[in-house]
Every structure is written in C-alpha cells, then in structure tokens.
Amino acid sequence: MSSEIMGVDVLIYADGKAIAGQRDCTISISGDTIDTTCKDNGSWKTSAVGLLGWSISLTAIEFAGQSGKEQAVFEKCLLNRTPITIKAIQAGKKVVTGTGIITSKETSGSYSDVSTGSYEIAGNSALVTSFVPYINTATFSSTTVTVALTESAA
C-alpha cells in the first residue's frame, strides 16, 4: 500500500459541507519567532517559537444555483464578517479542524476556462489534528460484528 497523500484526496469542508468544485488548496501553519539571544550564546542568535497561526488558500470552480450554495455561504460569511468552521480531510490519513475567518475572495473569469473563485481563510482558533483509524481486521457472525482499529501516524 502506498503511503503518499494524493492531492485529489485533500478536501476542504465548511460547516460540514465539502466545497463544490475545489481545484486546489494550501494549508499553512506558522509560528512567530521570538529572539532568545543573550550574551551566553557567544556570537550566535537563538530563537523560540511563539504564537502559532494557520491559513488556508483554496480555488474552486464557481457554480450558480444549488450547486454553488457552499460557495455562497463563503461569500456571505466574508460580507457579514462571520467565522466559519473548517475541516480539511486527507482521505485515509488525518482530519484537521478549526474556526477561521474568510479574509478575501477573488473571482477569475478567464476567456478560455471556467470561472473560479479563490478564497483566503485566516485561522481564528487552534488547529486540531486527529488521525483516522484504519481497519485492521473485521470478523462477522450471525449476531456479532467485530472491527479492530489502529490509529494511523500520518
């Protein structure tokens, strides 16, 4: 079994619904740098990680009507300055969740392509990662189903 995470398997959900038409996404986690240099370090700078933050950039094909309702929710949350619950699922590996605010939306209408919407989401909470358990074994009888799970270390 291959251990690579395929890009097509990384999906972004907002308030429980997958974003329709998602083409790509980038999840970024960063930490502020705190200077811890003192005279005891000789001529070398030292640092520590301070506050952590995260963001998501994603692009999706724009849809009208019922097919685009999740995208309409994104735009409404941006206009109303409303936080949104985000879940990124890397199929078969891990789930990342948090609350974020949509900070921008750009619409692209290329002459030779479908219209796309690009969204920027800034983290507004801790980013929580949980690993998806794998089914090791499953046994069945007429009255009992037994499933053995193990936690995956992605």
Side-chain angles (χ1 to χ4, degrees), residues 3 73 98 102 122 134:
S3 61
V73 168
I102 301 165
Y134 284 94

Side-chain angles (χ1 to χ4, degrees), residues 104-127:
S104 70
K105 181 200 181 211
E106 293 180 356
T107 301
S108 173
S110 174
Y111 180 76
S112 60
D113 201 356
V114 293
S115 180
T116 58
S118 297
Y119 303 88
E120 294 292 327
I121 303 158
N124 201 25
S125 70
L127 194 60

Side-chain angles (χ1 to χ4, degrees), residues 129-154:
T129 301
S130 57
F131 296 99
V132 177
Y134 284 94
I135 297 175
N136 277 350
T137 60
T139 57
F140 306 92
S141 72
S142 60
T143 58
T144 306
V145 175
T146 305
V147 178
L149 301 175
T150 59
E151 189 172 274
S152 165

Side-chain angles (χ1 to χ4, degrees), residues 25-92:
C25 70
T26 301
I27 303 168
S28 301
I29 303 171
S30 62
D32 293 341
T33 304
I34 299 172
D35 183 3
T36 59
T37 306
C38 63
K39 291 180 181 182
D40 295 341
N41 300 122
S43 58
W44 294 97
K45 293 178 87 173
T46 59
S47 303
V49 177
L51 294 174
L52 298 174
W54 61 271
S55 64
I56 296 175
S57 299
L58 73 93
T59 302
I61 296 171
E62 294 218 323
F63 291 110
Q66 193 67 8
S67 299
K69 62 185 176 185
E70 293 86 17
Q71 295 170 6
V73 168
F74 261 44
E75 192 165 333
K76 186 176 181 181
C77 287
L78 171 60
L79 295 173
N80 293 332
R81 299 175 176 93
T82 306
I84 193 163
T85 300
I86 296 295
K87 182 184 291 185
I89 298 180
Q90 296 176 343

